[in-house]
Amino acid sequence: MKRFPLAALVLLGCLTATVTAGPLQLGGRAFDDQFDRSLSIGPAVKTLVFAPDRAAGKIASAYLNGQLGQSLEARGIRYLADISGMPGLINKLFAIPAMQDYGYPVLLGRQAAQTADLPRREGEVSVLRLQDGEVTAVAYAADAEALAALLPED
């Protein structure tokens, strides 16, 4: 009998936390790209492609490697890769130099806190729709074809 009120309070606390959480605002956030240029998520960005892990990064790369940076920018797309779990030496010697060969900018989440609040599923690319920097919808892609279907055309 005494456990029920405690369980009800815990459940009420969880519901309250869910209700009070406001919309996710990304507008104005800045990240360094693979050339150490600071790029922000401004009002022209309508879609954020987010790779939270290595598997998702491979999916995103499979699609994005056929794209030009100008094409992505014209379509309001930015790509963000969470590289916070990668050892610094690997980043510096291999990963970032390889990214510098890409024909598009890669925003880099170097610290886990930079991307901690972004929606994610392990092994999938998160596609966040933005309006004035606020996330309005989230979808997930498990392969390059699904990612292509979620992104706006030229």
Side-chain angles (χ1 to χ4, degrees), residues 38-92:
S38 181
L39 299 174
S40 66
I41 299 175
V45 178
K46 304 298 181 200
T47 306
L48 181 67
V49 174
F50 172 54
D53 54 38
R54 183 176 172 91
K58 287 182 179 184
I59 294 167
S61 292
Y63 170 77
L64 293 170
N65 283 340
Q67 306 294 310
L68 297 174
Q70 298 89 347
S71 169
L72 294 173
E73 188 174 343
R75 292 160 43 205
I77 299 171
R78 288 275 174 142
Y79 172 47
L80 171 62
D82 183 344
I83 62 169
S84 64
M86 191 179 298
L89 192 60
I90 300 297
N91 274 340
K92 189 174 185 173

Side-chain angles (χ1 to χ4, degrees), residues 70-143:
Q70 298 89 347
S71 169
L72 294 173
E73 188 174 343
R75 292 160 43 205
I77 299 171
R78 288 275 174 142
Y79 172 47
L80 171 62
D82 183 344
I83 62 169
S84 64
M86 191 179 298
L89 192 60
I90 300 297
N91 274 340
K92 189 174 185 173
L93 295 178
F94 302 106
I96 294 174
M99 289 178 199
Q100 291 174 345
D101 291 334
Y102 296 170
Y104 52 88
V106 180
L107 304 179
L108 302 173
R110 295 176 192 257
Q111 305 297 321
Q114 290 179 290
T115 61
D117 60 344
L118 298 182
R120 67 187 69 220
R121 287 186 186 162
E122 187 176 336
E124 296 186 16
V125 176
S126 303
V127 178
L128 289 72
R129 300 276 184 228
L130 306 174
Q131 183 173 359
D132 297 322
E134 184 177 303
V135 177
T136 59
V138 178
Y140 300 93
D143 57 45

Side-chain angles (χ1 to χ4, degrees), residues 11-23:
L11 180 61
L12 182 60
C14 292
L15 291 175
T16 303
T18 302
V19 172
T20 58

Side-chain angles (χ1 to χ4, degrees), residues 1-10:
M1 214 39 122
K2 292 182 181 181
R3 290 185 190 151
F4 177 74
L6 179 60
L9 285 174
V10 170

